[in-house]
Amino acid sequence: MTSPSQPSEPIAPPLGNQAKPISRERMALLFMVMLVTAAGNTAMQSVMPSIGTALKVNDVWISFAYSWSALLWVIMAPFWAKRSDRRGRKAMMALGLVGFITSLALCGLLLWLGLYGWLSATATLFLFAAARSLYGGFGSASPPAVQAYVASRTPRSQRTQAMALIASSFGLGTVIGPALAPLLVFQPMGLVGPFMIFAAFGALVLVALRLRLPGDDPTYAARSDIVGAPYSASAASRYSADELTSEGSDEDEPTLAKPGPVPSEPEQAIPDLKWLDRRLRPWLVAGLVGGHAQAMILGISGFLVLDRLGLRGDPDGGTGPIGLVLMSGALATLLAQWGIIPSLKLGPRSSTLWGMALAVFGIGMLAFAQDLHTIALGFSVASLGFGLYRPGFTAGTSLAVTRAEQGQVSGIVASVNGAAYIVGPAFGVWLYGHHANIGFGIIAGLCVLVYILGWRSLDTDEVLEARRD
């Protein structure tokens, strides 16, 4: 067996079992696992404001129905990430898909019963929140398992491209979900049609996963990354520590002598990374405050469309405009992350500050928008800003600590990102319901606060670049 200290080429398995890169068919299957969950989740977000209006439920309670699921995602994502390294990635992918399918189908059924009067509005909402928690509790098992499956079968020289492809499926799903949702509102299912159709898509992907994806026989050592839940205006794929903090090649990466579970790395005397660590503190403040601003805007967006376009009396007619606005925001987010950041080579601090400035401008447009075009444009500008800010925060946090601390900091970043969606959307809707202008003013104020604190306390891009080198 090759020692980790020796230069290593992938060790050839016994004849007839030669390690091969992931085939296009299997990569497409992994792509679909990520895409269908993101698309189904954001399709649901497109129709929930209309469903809440049809049920005559206060908007804030619709937003609160997501909170328990978001909290469970924050708690369970690290658990499933670790478990996939021990129990197998394929099994965790299947578990995540089962959680997604079951949750979406139950949510659709319960909402359908409520819309047709078989359940009271209060009972419908409580049961919806319970069914939705299955997604937060178990759906979080799939994304880290998919990423680790790809990483453990890809040499480092090809890993960035492969991981970018997989991460793009999450972002693409946030575009496809809102785009398709209005087309899937049909009788007799009505507004819950998107729930049932995407649950069926998920079941097909699950069957294909079971039949076509081989088991866990990794060639390269890799650990699962903790991945945030998909939201339609925050299609941020996580930047991995490999991409941000190392320049290595396959020669500095230990490989496995034979198929089997990835062994644990040797224990190292790495002190626990504290949330109040002075290196992290300014970045985490930026992530928590800016993340709440983003979550609040996302929570408001659907209800804003219904109010400004006068569609409260026609909930079914609101699904198309809401889907269009959310799709525009997701596209703007992808433009920021796939186009602007790589093209302009923005560093973490620059990306964060420019993102907050653009977000304030977009929020101002939303506050005064009265037609669909202006609403979509304002939401797109705000999403473009948040699309610059979030990768900047993630990269800056990663580069603020040592390579040995990357595992710990990834968990902290995931917790910060998820925490914003526990109460952020509901708080934003509550502010909007009491006084829209005050609500928008507070959200813009949070972005301005991040900009001011970031200008004064975030490490410059030159300092961060020197740390990477």
Side-chain angles (χ1 to χ4, degrees), residues 87-250:
R87 299 300 298 270
R89 281 66 186 263
K90 181 179 178 180
M92 293 300 101
M93 290 182 225
L95 177 65
L97 279 173
V98 169
F100 164 76
I101 295 163
T102 306
S103 172
L104 206 60
L106 279 176
C107 286
L109 176 61
L110 293 167
L111 290 171
W112 185 82
L113 291 174
L115 289 169
Y116 280 87
W118 292 90
L119 293 172
S120 69
T122 302
T124 300
L125 202 59
F126 274 109
L127 291 172
F128 167 80
R132 175 67 180 167
S133 69
L134 294 174
Y135 178 69
F138 296 98
S140 51
S142 289
V146 171
Q147 292 197 358
Y149 189 97
V150 173
S152 65
R153 288 158 179 78
T154 310
R156 186 171 291 170
S157 59
Q158 303 170 18
R159 188 173 300 170
T160 297
Q161 181 179 1
M163 296 298 284
L165 176 64
I166 289 300
S168 70
S169 61
F170 236 34
L172 185 59
T174 64
V175 176
I176 290 176
L180 291 183
L183 305 178
L184 302 179
V185 176
F186 58 91
Q187 296 302 326
M189 301 310 301
L191 288 169
V192 303
F195 291 72
M196 299 309 184
I197 295 300
F198 278 104
F201 285 160
L204 292 175
V205 172
L206 176 62
V207 171
L209 179 79
R210 285 295 195 186
L211 296 178
R212 304 299 298 172
L213 193 71
D216 295 84
D217 53 347
T219 304
Y220 301 94
R223 288 187 179 276
S224 300
D225 266 342
I226 303 166
V227 179
Y231 297 98
S232 57
S234 60
S237 57
R238 187 185 173 280
Y239 283 69
S240 71
D242 277 350
E243 294 171 51
L244 293 170
T245 61
S246 66
E247 302 288 341
S249 63
D250 295 338

Side-chain angles (χ1 to χ4, degrees), residues 46-55 191 303 306 314-319 322:
S46 298
V47 297
M48 280 306 295
S50 296
I51 289 175
T53 299
L55 290 173
L191 288 169
F303 302 109
L306 293 178
D314 181 21
D316 288 17
T319 58
I322 293 173

Side-chain angles (χ1 to χ4, degrees), residues 280 287 326 355 397:
L280 292 179
L326 294 183
T397 308

Side-chain angles (χ1 to χ4, degrees), residues 248-316:
S249 63
D250 295 338
E251 281 68 35
D252 58 20
E253 181 176 33
T255 57
L256 304 181
K258 60 183 180 179
V262 177
S264 300
E265 295 178 355
E267 293 293 330
Q268 300 179 6
I270 304 172
D272 288 340
L273 193 60
K274 305 297 184 183
W275 282 62
L276 296 180
D277 188 299
R278 60 182 180 81
R279 299 169 297 169
L280 292 179
R281 195 181 307 138
W283 291 104
L284 295 183
V285 170
L288 196 60
V289 176
H292 274 83
Q294 182 179 15
M296 291 162 73
I297 279 294
L298 180 60
I300 288 172
S301 57
F303 302 109
L304 175 73
V305 171
L306 293 178
D307 289 335
R308 299 286 172 86
L309 301 186
L311 295 173
R312 287 288 187 176
D314 181 21
D316 288 17

Side-chain angles (χ1 to χ4, degrees), residues 409-459:
V409 83
S410 70
I412 291 174
V413 168
S415 295
V416 169
N417 288 338
Y421 287 90
I422 295 173
V423 298
F427 183 55
V429 172
W430 181 82
L431 286 172
Y432 169 75
H434 279 71
H435 198 292
N437 289 336
I438 292 177
F440 282 115
I442 290 175
I443 296 170
L446 293 177
C447 296
V448 171
L449 179 62
V450 173
Y451 188 94
I452 294 172
L453 293 177
W455 183 270
R456 297 177 57 183
S457 60
L458 294 182
D459 291 326

